[in-house]
Amino acid sequence: MAQIINDISRTFNEYILIPGLTAKECTPDRITLRAPLVKFIKGSLPEITLNIPFVSAIMQSVSDSNMAIALARNGGLSFIFGSQSVEDQAEMVRKVKKYKAGFVISDANLTPEHTLRDVIDLKARTGFSTIGITHDGTSNGRLLGMVTSRDYRPGRDEPGKKVKDFMTPFSKLVTGRYGITLDEANDIIWENKINTLPVIDENQYLRYFVFRKDYENHKDNPNELLDTQKRLLVGAGVNTRDYEERIPKLVEAGVDVLCIDSSDGFSAWQAETIKFVRDNYGDSVKIGAGNIVDKDGFLYLAEAGADFVKVGIGGGSICITREQKGIGRGQATALIEVSHARDEYFKKSGIYVPICSDGGIVQDYHMVLALAMGADFLMMGRYFARFDESPTRKLIVGGNYVKEYWGEGSNRARNWQRYDMGGSSNLKFEEGVDSYVPYAGKLKDNLDITLGKIKSTMCSCGALTIPELKEVAKITLVSSTSIIEGGAHDVILKETKREN
């Protein structure tokens, strides 16, 4: 008969933190949330360290170049989804590496021959109200004009009206020359009392926009995650099927770290993929692996040479792997076992392999629980999918703003490459759903609140760093009655809007 493991498969929601001594020096402003992203030898430092312990999930509905830029500017890192052509993924990586703080590549562009209807559709689809009008409708075409919401009246102007008839023509635009510094660009904006400055090269080709609204934002990102050349860091997801083609192109594009995207990472296919990286690039290319849920899975991938290991099967809000295949484990139980395995491996080998907790986060305090249970950093999908910077549409459903969110294991994603079972190249059944999440606004606004909660909770536990949290945190199981007691109860709540 099968091996029976009697441990109960538990989730984060079944645990709570017990307060420790909060010393006078333990204040939120003194807390650091830096965390290792890749493995390192005892006594040395990791080559990549996160400034906040967050990475965004390898998903079509979460991690594109816009999310990667926004999250890196706030100290985390995105793994750009791999369920797209190699060329498109590599171009997203290049876009992040080329990003200069304050200089925004235009993502909303049309030609003079487009119509007002096209403008309105583009604005609805992208959320951008500033549209670059170029000769070929691309982000780096020759700039012929610009359209903002002040250039047209949807209720009065004909939908078929040509863009060339209402755009602000190039002759009336204030522009900056490519090579200009951000300070110089902001000076032009303030001196000319404009909201947007197009930056063009000597041939009038559009290179960037600089926005007035971003001025303060650019001064307010002390946690930016940068490489030695002061470029933003970015990751990318790969699979175990076309890695021989995909990885070289991502490396050429400048990717900083790779991660194998799979619903079940305890697989010979993953070891082969890691071996390809080591044989061709040595340790210069970093690659994480997973997902696994126990000691055996961790040790297999660590011995295979993974730079970090992802923990979690079936715990994501859109994941139905446990339903469909009957495999997985409660995220808390999986994380606790793998953390012990990681620590034992470190003592034995002198190599510290960071672990990433992927899935199962519902409340913000679950993030602290995951870190206290041993995770070095967290991968999240639903959390980031709610923000303006995610690549999905914002819609009104049932009178509320929502954003689309679908799993990589859904038919919509058609990401059959992430299943390491060999055989034919199609999706036999779904392991993810197509859904909505409540729209939450800008990433930075929400992230600041979340990080504030984490730091406050760490103070209550008496910890100033994540490693210290792992040492001093006390965690206890809770009963179902205790969970009810922990929320509002035995009162009549006023009908006020509650934040998600």
Side-chain angles (χ1 to χ4, degrees), residues 89 99 130 220 240-241 287 310 335 345 377 387 424 468:
Q89 188 184 23
Y99 177 84
T130 300
D220 196 29
T240 59
R241 297 192 182 245
I287 183 167
K310 281 205 297 153
L335 186 55
Y345 185 79
F377 59 98
F387 304 146
S424 60
E468 191 175 345

Side-chain angles (χ1 to χ4, degrees), residues 97-117:
K97 299 307 290 185
K98 289 178 181 177
Y99 177 84
K100 296 168 66 178
F103 294 89
V104 180
I105 296 175
S106 178
D107 280 325
N109 305 279
L110 295 171
T111 70
E113 296 303 316
H114 279 93
T115 65
L116 176 58
R117 182 182 293 107

Side-chain angles (χ1 to χ4, degrees), residues 39-42 342 345-353:
K39 67 182 179 184
F40 58 93
I41 297 172
K42 186 176 183 179
R342 186 263 324 276
Y345 185 79
F346 182 45
K347 288 179 183 177
K348 178 182 175 182
S349 68
I351 300 172
Y352 189 92
V353 181

Side-chain angles (χ1 to χ4, degrees), residues 208-261:
Y208 302 108
F209 281 137
V210 179
F211 295 98
R212 175 189 286 261
K213 63 182 175 61
D214 288 338
Y215 176 72
E216 289 299 328
N217 186 29
H218 299 316
K219 297 169 59 180
D220 196 29
N221 287 282
N223 282 329
E224 278 189 326
L225 193 63
L226 305 172
D227 64 18
T228 56
Q229 300 177 51
K230 304 298 183 184
R231 300 175 302 178
L232 297 176
L233 264 62
V234 60
V238 298
N239 61 70
T240 59
R241 297 192 182 245
D242 69 0
Y243 60 88
E244 292 181 342
E245 174 194 6
R246 188 173 294 269
I247 290 176
K249 291 186 177 179
L250 292 172
V251 172
E252 182 185 2
V255 75
D256 296 288
V257 58
L258 303 168
C259 184
I260 305 172
D261 180 28

Side-chain angles (χ1 to χ4, degrees), residues 71 118 193 314 354 384 452 468 485 491:
L71 186 50
D118 296 318
K193 299 180 180 179
F384 291 111
E468 191 175 345
E485 180 188 58
V491 294

Side-chain angles (χ1 to χ4, degrees), residues 130-146:
T130 300
I131 299 173
I133 308 303
T134 59
H135 80 287
D136 58 359
T138 66
S139 61
N140 54 5
R142 188 160 52 88
L143 185 64
L144 301 178
M146 199 166 73

Side-chain angles (χ1 to χ4, degrees), residues 326-341:
I327 66 166
R329 200 175 196 182
Q331 188 67 9
T333 303
L335 186 55
I336 290 168
E337 178 174 322
V338 175
S339 296
H340 285 309

